[in-house]
Amino acid sequence: MTILFTNALVVTMDDDLTVHERGWVQVDGSVITALGGGPAPDIAGAEILDCDDDIVMPGMVNAHCHMAMSLFRGLGEDVDDRLYRYILPLERTFVSPEMVRAGSALSALEMIQGGVTTVADMYYFETEVGDVCAEAGLRAIVGQTLADFSPPDHRDFDEGFARVEDLVDRFAGHPLVTPSIAPHAPYSTGLKTMARIAEWSDAHPNVPVQIHLAESTLEVKWAQETHGKSSVAVTQESGLLKPNLICAHCLQLDDDDILMMSVEQVCVVTNPRSNGKAGRGISPVEKLRNAGLPRGIGSDGAMSGNTLDLFSQFAPVSMFAKLLAGSRRPLPAVEVIQMATIEGARALSLNLKTGSLEPGKQADLIRVSTKSSRMQPMYDPYSALVFAAMPTDVTHTMVAGRWLMRNRQVQTLEPARIMSDANQIARQFKGEMARLDSLVP
């Protein structure tokens, strides 16, 4: 069936940053087949969606997330040691396939409602995450985490690699879900295991690798004390620093680190809200841009940043760059939207499928209302999207020509059941937190 989006402000995010005022987009099946400005073509039998001057743009790419951790949202916010007091004990007790499915479904619902059409996730029991994304209709990279701190789904790295193999087998050739291997971080896997992962990756070149890199001063200290070099250099020594590596956070970088990353053409993802909230620092996004590295924006998990929509990330990522430079000029709004769409897709090696509105690409797109007072007057659609728009302005979400949300009504998930399941688990969390509190003198 042909669907025609008409009377739209079409923000394509193509190489020329083409914008069509009073434009149109034609979707046939799963693919964008044509678009342009002016009157839409007259196609017999086509479904016409008059957008009434709303923005039609590529669906957004959340390039780093922990979907199941939405169940930890807002938990122990003002407790300094909440990671060790609550989070890790709760993970050891409650993280199961059922818990991961419930948390991932809640996150999928939130992202669809906020205009995210592609997500890169890393956590445990990732086959469950992949199943949820497939059912929800989201395009996803799902990364099985490997770590040495008693993770809830593997007792040792051999068992962890077996889970990776299962994930790869399960989603081989899937039209939406791409399996991934995800070493947690250099300090939590170690050089020997990172080298093993690099060797495995060489044998599976089409499987992306995700890692937390240069995220904290503790990681930098570990690398210096253990190996006498930066954590980026440790990663390079392991053989993991290569183009299919997706590096999340990237806060504690010096110029030598950025040069190494540039030579190897790794991909980087900034998580401004999560990192700012934790006081961990600011990623040098402008330096990474000038080094020619593909860059995306991620929400991190809701435990850290609370929200999974990208609108909440836009202003912080731009303002942090401006604060670093003491100027309004760095990271203008158009570049932020590039990072959230085509650059984010490029960072995930999905840019040939998604990230821009162009004939031949998958019909991953959203409609953003311009009707609220916040969105008027509109001198620049990029500025409006970065500094004014909110998730509730997204009215329609489509992936591969399939409606995931239409007129704010989610089509592929059951919101009431998902939120009920999440709150049932939250009640268990609360009971265990009370027990843990009773043990504190």
Side-chain angles (χ1 to χ4, degrees):
M1 184 178 186
T2 297
I3 301 174
L4 275 173
F5 297 80
T6 65
N7 296 322
L9 179 58
V10 181
V11 178
T12 68
M13 304 313 298
D14 64 10
D15 288 344
D16 297 323
L17 295 173
T18 307
V19 174
H20 298 291
E21 295 188 12
R22 287 281 173 174
W24 54 273
V25 179
Q26 178 180 339
V27 173
D28 287 284
S30 65
V31 178
I32 298 168
T33 50
L35 73 165
D42 186 7
I43 300 176
E47 177 185 355
I48 307 298
L49 183 63
D50 187 335
C51 295
D52 192 24
D53 294 325
D54 287 346
I55 294 169
V56 172
M57 64 179 287
M60 290 184 283
V61 178
N62 185 341
H64 179 67
C65 189
H66 309 292
M67 291 174 64
M69 298 197 81
S70 60
L71 297 176
F72 296 91
R73 187 194 330 260
L75 183 155
E77 285 284 12
D78 301 317
V79 179
D80 278 341
D81 62 343
R82 73 168 184 156
L83 178 64
Y84 295 98
R85 182 167 174 174
Y86 296 132
I87 304 300
L88 293 179
L90 288 171
E91 282 192 321
R92 284 192 291 268
T93 302
F94 291 106
V95 172
S96 65
E98 295 74 23
M99 174 265 178
V100 167
R101 172 170 280 273
S104 298
L106 182 64
S107 292
L109 175 62
E110 180 182 353
M111 286 190 282
I112 289 170
Q113 291 174 322
V116 170
T117 56
T118 299
V119 60
D121 188 76
M122 57 183 289
Y123 199 57
Y124 310 110
F125 298 109
E126 280 290 307
T127 54
E128 299 294 329
V129 182
D131 285 344
V132 167
C133 290
E135 291 164 13
L138 286 170
R139 197 173 301 281
I141 291 178
V142 292
Q144 173 63 42
T145 294
L146 302 178
D148 66 358
F149 47 70
S150 301
D153 69 347
H154 57 277
R155 290 164 295 183
D156 54 43
F157 283 116
D158 287 340
E159 189 174 343
F161 272 93
R163 285 197 172 275
V164 172
E165 296 281 2
D166 288 344
L167 183 70
V168 170
D169 290 344
R170 186 179 189 115
F171 292 104
H174 195 282
L176 291 177
V177 179
T178 301
S180 168
I181 187 170
H184 178 265
Y187 67 89
S188 53
T189 50
L191 181 58
K192 182 178 178 181
T193 300
M194 291 170 69
R196 178 180 173 184
I197 294 168
E199 184 178 349
W200 185 95
S201 177
D202 289 341
H204 301 80
N206 295 323
V207 178
V209 183
Q210 301 181 68
I211 192 170
H212 298 105
L213 186 63
E215 182 178 4
S216 68
T217 54
L218 289 177
E219 178 186 333
V220 173
K221 183 179 179 183
W222 166 86
Q224 287 292 341
E225 291 181 349
T226 308
H227 298 283
K229 58 183 69 175
S230 72
S231 58
V232 173
V234 173
T235 306
Q236 183 188 48
E237 182 180 347
S238 75
L240 269 181
L241 213 65
K242 52 188 179 178
N244 72 338
L245 183 66
I246 303 164
C247 307
H249 300 292
C250 298
L251 303 173
Q252 308 294 329
L253 301 175
D254 61 24
D255 290 343
D256 289 338
D257 291 330
I258 293 174
L259 179 60
M260 276 185 278
M261 296 167 75
S262 176
V263 168
E264 303 297 344
Q265 277 296 289
V266 301
C267 304
V268 298
V269 182
T270 186
N271 305 270
R273 183 182 174 101
S274 169
N275 296 147
K277 186 164 172 275
R280 284 185 172 155
I282 297 174
S283 179
V285 175
E286 282 285 278
K287 284 187 176 182
L288 295 166
R289 172 184 179 275
N290 293 336
L293 292 169
R295 299 154 297 128
I297 301 175
S299 64
D300 208 3
M303 182 201 83
S304 304
N306 296 76
T307 65
L308 303 183
D309 71 274
L310 291 195
F311 292 104
S312 299
Q313 312 297 325
F314 290 162
V317 74
S318 181
M319 289 190 288
F320 286 175
K322 297 176 193 314
L323 285 168
L324 282 179
S327 166
R328 298 180 68 92
R329 294 180 64 85
L331 209 58
V334 62
E335 292 184 12
V336 175
I337 299 303
Q338 283 179 306
M339 290 174 66
T341 55
I342 188 61
E343 275 297 303
R346 186 170 288 113
L348 304 184
S349 299
L350 292 174
N351 53 298
L352 297 182
K353 290 184 177 181
T354 191
S356 62
L357 304 184
E358 299 181 72
K361 284 199 170 183
Q362 292 284 287
D364 297 0
L365 54 83
I366 60 176
R367 174 181 173 182
V368 182
S369 173
T370 60
K371 302 304 184 291
S372 72
S373 57
R374 286 177 287 98
M375 298 289 282
Q376 297 296 327
M378 188 180 294
Y379 300 106
D380 174 4
Y382 304 111
S383 175
L385 289 166
V386 170
F387 295 110
M390 299 176 67
T392 49
D393 294 319
V394 178
T395 61
H396 294 68
T397 301
M398 173 182 279
V399 173
R402 179 189 183 191
W403 290 115
L404 309 192
M405 183 174 70
R406 187 164 186 171
N407 294 318
R408 290 296 299 171
Q409 299 300 307
V410 176
Q411 307 290 300
T412 57
L413 297 171
E414 301 174 48
R417 178 185 60 80
I418 287 170
M419 288 188 279
S420 175
D421 290 347
N423 280 301
Q424 183 176 353
I425 294 172
R427 285 191 287 272
Q428 298 177 45
F429 282 11
K430 288 178 183 178
E432 180 64 8
M433 289 169 66
R435 188 189 73 81
L436 294 170
D437 285 341
S438 71
L439 301 177
V440 178

